[in-house]
Amino acid sequence: MPLELTRTVEEAREHLSSHLRNETVDDARIREHVRIVAGPQPYDHCHFAADQFFQFDATSGAASNIHGQRLLRVTDNFLRSLSRALNDELGERAPETLYRIGRRWGDADVKAFVPRIEQEYGCAFDKLGMGAMLESWWWPLRASGWGVWRYDFSHSRNGLVLVELRDSAAAQAAGKTGKPACHLYAGLFAAVFGFLARRELVCAELECVAKGDSQCRFLVATQRRIEVAVSHRDAGATTDEIVRKISSLSQS
């Protein structure tokens, strides 16, 4: 999880320019469309090699990624201890606290992402393709160990977004608890999809590896619909049944 920025915005953009730009084709302009360039790809949009994506400063002991974000490398015990400490202090309010942490994380992360992705693609944010934009946003999280996701917009006309997540760090840390454990992710998804929709959205985890499901699945929608979805979930309904039941509800 990015905990703090090691560079200012200007320093981060300069750093990105030296790593992502191809100076032979770059004119450093932000356009209203994605430019198609003949010849070599002008950017490295994904960094699959760890030695390219992560840097480690042995002098200061600081780890960061290519976007200039400071990283803290921890094991599952960190998330497990965080969850247990919150449960000890807050009891039933602990899941809501983790959700709010996730929302604040998502709010900060997506706001930093917008100028970064505009600089990388040389294109105004609202002109980027949704698929390329979302995968570019998630890639640093995947590389940092937060899992592999798949978003589903097939019910978007009904105001619903589904997210499937595999290898959830929170679920792995929680173990088999018999109940949803990925409150941090739920807050993160609510913040990001709410930012994209330009409206207040809420997220709930409908399936979780921690409660015995094969994967973690989340639903993003309005507050009222999520409240109904959670009541159906707790009554034992499947995700598909929940989606069918709430698709006809008002989006307000």
PDB file of all heavy atoms in Angstrom, residues 33 46 53 58 75 78 83-84 89 119 142 172 174 179 193 197-198 200 213 219-220 245:
ATOM      1  N   HIS A  33      -7.453  13.446 -27.339  1.00  0.00           N
ATOM      2  CA  HIS A  33      -7.614  12.101 -27.879  1.00  0.00           C
ATOM      3  C   HIS A  33      -6.284  11.378 -27.704  1.00  0.00           C
ATOM      4  O   HIS A  33      -5.237  11.995 -27.497  1.00  0.00           O
ATOM      5  CB  HIS A  33      -7.986  12.148 -29.360  1.00  0.00           C
ATOM      6  CG  HIS A  33      -6.945  12.816 -30.214  1.00  0.00           C
ATOM      7  ND1 HIS A  33      -6.851  14.186 -30.306  1.00  0.00           N
ATOM      8  CD2 HIS A  33      -5.929  12.318 -30.968  1.00  0.00           C
ATOM      9  CE1 HIS A  33      -5.844  14.508 -31.109  1.00  0.00           C
ATOM     10  NE2 HIS A  33      -5.265  13.400 -31.517  1.00  0.00           N
ATOM     11  N   CYS A  46       3.118  -0.928 -18.828  1.00  0.00           N
ATOM     12  CA  CYS A  46       3.111  -1.850 -17.696  1.00  0.00           C
ATOM     13  C   CYS A  46       4.540  -2.313 -17.419  1.00  0.00           C
ATOM     14  O   CYS A  46       5.321  -2.509 -18.350  1.00  0.00           O
ATOM     15  CB  CYS A  46       2.225  -3.067 -17.972  1.00  0.00           C
ATOM     16  SG  CYS A  46       0.464  -2.677 -18.002  1.00  0.00           S
ATOM     17  N   PHE A  53       9.997  -2.040 -11.927  1.00  0.00           N
ATOM     18  CA  PHE A  53       8.864  -1.387 -11.274  1.00  0.00           C
ATOM     19  C   PHE A  53       9.182  -0.899  -9.866  1.00  0.00           C
ATOM     20  O   PHE A  53       8.652   0.114  -9.425  1.00  0.00           O
ATOM     21  CB  PHE A  53       7.675  -2.344 -11.211  1.00  0.00           C
ATOM     22  CG  PHE A  53       6.398  -1.665 -10.818  1.00  0.00           C
ATOM     23  CD1 PHE A  53       5.708  -0.892 -11.735  1.00  0.00           C
ATOM     24  CD2 PHE A  53       5.900  -1.770  -9.539  1.00  0.00           C
ATOM     25  CE1 PHE A  53       4.533  -0.241 -11.381  1.00  0.00           C
ATOM     26  CE2 PHE A  53       4.731  -1.124  -9.169  1.00  0.00           C
ATOM     27  CZ  PHE A  53       4.049  -0.361 -10.095  1.00  0.00           C
ATOM     28  N   ALA A  58      19.206   1.506  -0.532  1.00  0.00           N
ATOM     29  CA  ALA A  58      19.854   0.814   0.584  1.00  0.00           C
ATOM     30  C   ALA A  58      20.311   1.784   1.666  1.00  0.00           C
ATOM     31  O   ALA A  58      20.353   1.436   2.847  1.00  0.00           O
ATOM     32  CB  ALA A  58      21.039   0.001   0.069  1.00  0.00           C
ATOM     33  N   THR A  75       4.295  -8.699   5.631  1.00  0.00           N
ATOM     34  CA  THR A  75       3.687 -10.014   5.432  1.00  0.00           C
ATOM     35  C   THR A  75       2.200  -9.944   5.785  1.00  0.00           C
ATOM     36  O   THR A  75       1.689  -8.892   6.187  1.00  0.00           O
ATOM     37  CB  THR A  75       4.371 -11.058   6.329  1.00  0.00           C
ATOM     38  OG1 THR A  75       4.093 -10.737   7.702  1.00  0.00           O
ATOM     39  CG2 THR A  75       5.883 -11.056   6.113  1.00  0.00           C
ATOM     40  N   PHE A  78       0.856  -8.293   9.091  1.00  0.00           N
ATOM     41  CA  PHE A  78       0.556  -6.867   9.275  1.00  0.00           C
ATOM     42  C   PHE A  78      -0.947  -6.629   9.203  1.00  0.00           C
ATOM     43  O   PHE A  78      -1.542  -5.990  10.084  1.00  0.00           O
ATOM     44  CB  PHE A  78       1.282  -6.037   8.220  1.00  0.00           C
ATOM     45  CG  PHE A  78       1.004  -4.559   8.309  1.00  0.00           C
ATOM     46  CD1 PHE A  78       1.746  -3.753   9.153  1.00  0.00           C
ATOM     47  CD2 PHE A  78      -0.008  -3.976   7.555  1.00  0.00           C
ATOM     48  CE1 PHE A  78       1.494  -2.387   9.244  1.00  0.00           C
ATOM     49  CE2 PHE A  78      -0.274  -2.620   7.638  1.00  0.00           C
ATOM     50  CZ  PHE A  78       0.476  -1.830   8.482  1.00  0.00           C
ATOM     51  N   SER A  83      -6.286  -5.851  11.732  1.00  0.00           N
ATOM     52  CA  SER A  83      -7.681  -6.229  11.905  1.00  0.00           C
ATOM     53  C   SER A  83      -7.982  -6.621  13.349  1.00  0.00           C
ATOM     54  O   SER A  83      -9.005  -6.208  13.928  1.00  0.00           O
ATOM     55  CB  SER A  83      -8.021  -7.389  10.962  1.00  0.00           C
ATOM     56  OG  SER A  83      -9.368  -7.774  11.099  1.00  0.00           O
ATOM     57  N   ARG A  84      -7.104  -7.380  13.958  1.00  0.00           N
ATOM     58  CA  ARG A  84      -7.328  -7.819  15.337  1.00  0.00           C
ATOM     59  C   ARG A  84      -7.272  -6.655  16.308  1.00  0.00           C
ATOM     60  O   ARG A  84      -8.066  -6.574  17.254  1.00  0.00           O
ATOM     61  CB  ARG A  84      -6.298  -8.875  15.716  1.00  0.00           C
ATOM     62  CG  ARG A  84      -6.540 -10.230  15.034  1.00  0.00           C
ATOM     63  CD  ARG A  84      -5.498 -11.251  15.421  1.00  0.00           C
ATOM     64  NE  ARG A  84      -5.771 -12.543  14.798  1.00  0.00           N
ATOM     65  CZ  ARG A  84      -4.971 -13.599  14.900  1.00  0.00           C
ATOM     66  NH1 ARG A  84      -3.839 -13.511  15.612  1.00  0.00           N
ATOM     67  NH2 ARG A  84      -5.287 -14.737  14.309  1.00  0.00           N
ATOM     68  N   GLU A  89     -10.297  -2.954  19.876  1.00  0.00           N
ATOM     69  CA  GLU A  89     -10.601  -1.593  20.306  1.00  0.00           C
ATOM     70  C   GLU A  89     -12.019  -1.152  19.966  1.00  0.00           C
ATOM     71  O   GLU A  89     -12.658  -0.431  20.731  1.00  0.00           O
ATOM     72  CB  GLU A  89      -9.606  -0.609  19.667  1.00  0.00           C
ATOM     73  CG  GLU A  89      -8.177  -0.738  20.174  1.00  0.00           C
ATOM     74  CD  GLU A  89      -8.046  -0.345  21.636  1.00  0.00           C
ATOM     75  OE1 GLU A  89      -8.758   0.594  22.066  1.00  0.00           O
ATOM     76  OE2 GLU A  89      -7.246  -0.972  22.350  1.00  0.00           O
ATOM     77  N   GLN A 119      -0.221  12.188 -18.139  1.00  0.00           N
ATOM     78  CA  GLN A 119       1.160  12.386 -18.571  1.00  0.00           C
ATOM     79  C   GLN A 119       1.656  11.167 -19.332  1.00  0.00           C
ATOM     80  O   GLN A 119       2.355  11.287 -20.336  1.00  0.00           O
ATOM     81  CB  GLN A 119       2.040  12.653 -17.339  1.00  0.00           C
ATOM     82  CG  GLN A 119       3.459  13.104 -17.652  1.00  0.00           C
ATOM     83  CD  GLN A 119       4.409  11.939 -17.856  1.00  0.00           C
ATOM     84  OE1 GLN A 119       4.111  10.813 -17.477  1.00  0.00           O
ATOM     85  NE2 GLN A 119       5.543  12.213 -18.446  1.00  0.00           N
ATOM     86  N   ARG A 142      -1.671  -4.567  -8.225  1.00  0.00           N
ATOM     87  CA  ARG A 142      -1.417  -5.983  -8.501  1.00  0.00           C
ATOM     88  C   ARG A 142       0.062  -6.309  -8.294  1.00  0.00           C
ATOM     89  O   ARG A 142       0.412  -7.318  -7.671  1.00  0.00           O
ATOM     90  CB  ARG A 142      -1.825  -6.325  -9.933  1.00  0.00           C
ATOM     91  CG  ARG A 142      -1.483  -7.752 -10.331  1.00  0.00           C
ATOM     92  CD  ARG A 142      -1.955  -8.079 -11.736  1.00  0.00           C
ATOM     93  NE  ARG A 142      -1.566  -9.431 -12.118  1.00  0.00           N
ATOM     94  CZ  ARG A 142      -1.904 -10.017 -13.252  1.00  0.00           C
ATOM     95  NH1 ARG A 142      -2.676  -9.380 -14.117  1.00  0.00           N
ATOM     96  NH2 ARG A 142      -1.503 -11.240 -13.522  1.00  0.00           N
ATOM     97  N   GLN A 172      -6.606 -13.562   2.681  1.00  0.00           N
ATOM     98  CA  GLN A 172      -5.528 -14.481   3.038  1.00  0.00           C
ATOM     99  C   GLN A 172      -5.068 -14.259   4.469  1.00  0.00           C
ATOM    100  O   GLN A 172      -4.778 -15.207   5.204  1.00  0.00           O
ATOM    101  CB  GLN A 172      -4.358 -14.314   2.065  1.00  0.00           C
ATOM    102  CG  GLN A 172      -4.658 -14.798   0.650  1.00  0.00           C
ATOM    103  CD  GLN A 172      -3.529 -14.511  -0.322  1.00  0.00           C
ATOM    104  OE1 GLN A 172      -2.458 -14.046   0.063  1.00  0.00           O
ATOM    105  NE2 GLN A 172      -3.757 -14.782  -1.593  1.00  0.00           N
ATOM    106  N   ALA A 174      -6.901 -13.017   6.901  1.00  0.00           N
ATOM    107  CA  ALA A 174      -7.967 -13.337   7.849  1.00  0.00           C
ATOM    108  C   ALA A 174      -8.112 -14.827   8.090  1.00  0.00           C
ATOM    109  O   ALA A 174      -8.459 -15.266   9.192  1.00  0.00           O
ATOM    110  CB  ALA A 174      -9.291 -12.762   7.349  1.00  0.00           C
ATOM    111  N   LYS A 179     -16.958 -15.176   7.472  1.00  0.00           N
ATOM    112  CA  LYS A 179     -17.621 -13.908   7.172  1.00  0.00           C
ATOM    113  C   LYS A 179     -16.722 -13.057   6.282  1.00  0.00           C
ATOM    114  O   LYS A 179     -15.504 -13.301   6.205  1.00  0.00           O
ATOM    115  CB  LYS A 179     -17.955 -13.153   8.456  1.00  0.00           C
ATOM    116  CG  LYS A 179     -16.771 -12.906   9.361  1.00  0.00           C
ATOM    117  CD  LYS A 179     -17.208 -12.284  10.684  1.00  0.00           C
ATOM    118  CE  LYS A 179     -16.005 -12.065  11.608  1.00  0.00           C
ATOM    119  NZ  LYS A 179     -16.428 -11.502  12.903  1.00  0.00           N
ATOM    120  N   PHE A 193     -14.724   3.942  -8.095  1.00  0.00           N
ATOM    121  CA  PHE A 193     -15.852   3.937  -9.026  1.00  0.00           C
ATOM    122  C   PHE A 193     -16.783   5.129  -8.769  1.00  0.00           C
ATOM    123  O   PHE A 193     -17.421   5.629  -9.697  1.00  0.00           O
ATOM    124  CB  PHE A 193     -16.606   2.610  -8.950  1.00  0.00           C
ATOM    125  CG  PHE A 193     -15.881   1.486  -9.626  1.00  0.00           C
ATOM    126  CD1 PHE A 193     -15.237   0.505  -8.899  1.00  0.00           C
ATOM    127  CD2 PHE A 193     -15.816   1.421 -11.006  1.00  0.00           C
ATOM    128  CE1 PHE A 193     -14.557  -0.526  -9.520  1.00  0.00           C
ATOM    129  CE2 PHE A 193     -15.140   0.394 -11.652  1.00  0.00           C
ATOM    130  CZ  PHE A 193     -14.499  -0.586 -10.905  1.00  0.00           C
ATOM    131  N   ALA A 197     -17.851   7.783 -11.594  1.00  0.00           N
ATOM    132  CA  ALA A 197     -19.272   8.038 -11.844  1.00  0.00           C
ATOM    133  C   ALA A 197     -19.685   9.449 -11.454  1.00  0.00           C
ATOM    134  O   ALA A 197     -20.781   9.895 -11.793  1.00  0.00           O
ATOM    135  CB  ALA A 197     -20.115   7.030 -11.072  1.00  0.00           C
ATOM    136  N   ARG A 198     -18.798  10.129 -10.705  1.00  0.00           N
ATOM    137  CA  ARG A 198     -19.066  11.486 -10.229  1.00  0.00           C
ATOM    138  C   ARG A 198     -20.313  11.541  -9.350  1.00  0.00           C
ATOM    139  O   ARG A 198     -21.132  12.458  -9.435  1.00  0.00           O
ATOM    140  CB  ARG A 198     -19.199  12.460 -11.410  1.00  0.00           C
ATOM    141  CG  ARG A 198     -17.915  12.576 -12.208  1.00  0.00           C
ATOM    142  CD  ARG A 198     -18.069  13.455 -13.420  1.00  0.00           C
ATOM    143  NE  ARG A 198     -16.834  13.541 -14.181  1.00  0.00           N
ATOM    144  CZ  ARG A 198     -16.712  14.093 -15.369  1.00  0.00           C
ATOM    145  NH1 ARG A 198     -17.779  14.624 -15.965  1.00  0.00           N
ATOM    146  NH2 ARG A 198     -15.556  14.133 -15.989  1.00  0.00           N
ATOM    147  N   GLU A 200     -21.833   9.740  -5.289  1.00  0.00           N
ATOM    148  CA  GLU A 200     -21.525   8.956  -4.104  1.00  0.00           C
ATOM    149  C   GLU A 200     -21.976   7.517  -4.305  1.00  0.00           C
ATOM    150  O   GLU A 200     -23.163   7.243  -4.533  1.00  0.00           O
ATOM    151  CB  GLU A 200     -22.240   9.541  -2.877  1.00  0.00           C
ATOM    152  CG  GLU A 200     -21.892   8.859  -1.578  1.00  0.00           C
ATOM    153  CD  GLU A 200     -20.495   9.201  -1.072  1.00  0.00           C
ATOM    154  OE1 GLU A 200     -19.912  10.188  -1.561  1.00  0.00           O
ATOM    155  OE2 GLU A 200     -20.001   8.479  -0.186  1.00  0.00           O
ATOM    156  N   ASP A 213     -15.952 -18.954   0.137  1.00  0.00           N
ATOM    157  CA  ASP A 213     -16.227 -18.842  -1.291  1.00  0.00           C
ATOM    158  C   ASP A 213     -14.942 -19.035  -2.097  1.00  0.00           C
ATOM    159  O   ASP A 213     -13.833 -18.910  -1.581  1.00  0.00           O
ATOM    160  CB  ASP A 213     -16.850 -17.484  -1.608  1.00  0.00           C
ATOM    161  CG  ASP A 213     -18.190 -17.289  -0.909  1.00  0.00           C
ATOM    162  OD1 ASP A 213     -19.025 -18.199  -0.993  1.00  0.00           O
ATOM    163  OD2 ASP A 213     -18.372 -16.234  -0.255  1.00  0.00           O
ATOM    164  N   LEU A 219     -19.945  -5.673  -4.932  1.00  0.00           N
ATOM    165  CA  LEU A 219     -20.959  -4.942  -5.670  1.00  0.00           C
ATOM    166  C   LEU A 219     -20.841  -3.469  -5.327  1.00  0.00           C
ATOM    167  O   LEU A 219     -20.785  -3.099  -4.147  1.00  0.00           O
ATOM    168  CB  LEU A 219     -22.359  -5.435  -5.299  1.00  0.00           C
ATOM    169  CG  LEU A 219     -23.531  -4.697  -5.960  1.00  0.00           C
ATOM    170  CD1 LEU A 219     -23.549  -4.959  -7.471  1.00  0.00           C
ATOM    171  CD2 LEU A 219     -24.856  -5.122  -5.326  1.00  0.00           C
ATOM    172  N   VAL A 220     -20.798  -2.618  -6.353  1.00  0.00           N
ATOM    173  CA  VAL A 220     -20.744  -1.160  -6.176  1.00  0.00           C
ATOM    174  C   VAL A 220     -22.052  -0.576  -6.684  1.00  0.00           C
ATOM    175  O   VAL A 220     -22.472  -0.850  -7.813  1.00  0.00           O
ATOM    176  CB  VAL A 220     -19.561  -0.544  -6.946  1.00  0.00           C
ATOM    177  CG1 VAL A 220     -19.486   0.960  -6.681  1.00  0.00           C
ATOM    178  CG2 VAL A 220     -18.247  -1.223  -6.561  1.00  0.00           C
ATOM    179  N   LYS A 245     -32.445  -9.238  -7.942  1.00  0.00           N
ATOM    180  CA  LYS A 245     -33.432  -8.640  -7.038  1.00  0.00           C
ATOM    181  C   LYS A 245     -33.316  -7.115  -6.947  1.00  0.00           C
ATOM    182  O   LYS A 245     -34.326  -6.434  -6.768  1.00  0.00           O
ATOM    183  CB  LYS A 245     -33.282  -9.256  -5.638  1.00  0.00           C
ATOM    184  CG  LYS A 245     -33.750 -10.708  -5.560  1.00  0.00           C
ATOM    185  CD  LYS A 245     -33.524 -11.296  -4.175  1.00  0.00           C
ATOM    186  CE  LYS A 245     -34.013 -12.729  -4.096  1.00  0.00           C
ATOM    187  NZ  LYS A 245     -33.776 -13.333  -2.767  1.00  0.00           N
TER     188      LYS A 245
END
